Amino acid sequence: MADHVYKHIRLTGSSTASVEEAIQNAIDRASESVENLRWFEVKETRGHIEDGEVKHFQVTIEVGFTLEETVG
């Protein structure tokens, strides 16, 4: 196994359904423009309450991805 160097980015995903869907939404969107996503860590979980009910979930995650190796 080669040694890896990881770069970290912070994302906040949202969902009206669940915390898990908020995480997946953030990862799905990031994967459209960032390659080599490898792991995530939940940093914050928040929600919006309306009329005594949870209406929206927000989850901030830190995502690590490997940097491309340069040849040269």
Side-chain angles (χ1 to χ4, degrees):
M1 179 176 154
D3 294 331
H4 295 287
V5 174
Y6 296 91
K7 183 170 178 114
H8 300 207
I9 57 175
R10 201 167 177 103
L11 306 168
T12 300
S14 62
S15 168
T16 56
S18 68
V19 168
E20 290 84 0
E21 186 173 281
I23 293 168
Q24 191 63 56
N25 288 342
I27 291 171
D28 287 348
R29 183 66 173 89
S31 68
E32 292 177 11
S33 59
V34 179
E35 295 181 2
N36 304 316
L37 297 176
R38 298 290 184 229
W39 56 264
F40 74 92
E41 178 181 351
V42 174
K43 294 297 190 176
E44 297 177 329
T45 304
R46 291 180 296 285
H48 172 73
I49 300 169
E50 192 174 300
D51 297 325
E53 293 184 22
V54 176
K55 293 293 184 179
H56 214 100
F57 300 90
Q58 283 188 328
V59 180
T60 299
I61 59 176
E62 185 169 314
V63 178
F65 60 96
T66 53
L67 297 175
E68 295 283 334
E69 292 195 31
T70 57
V71 178

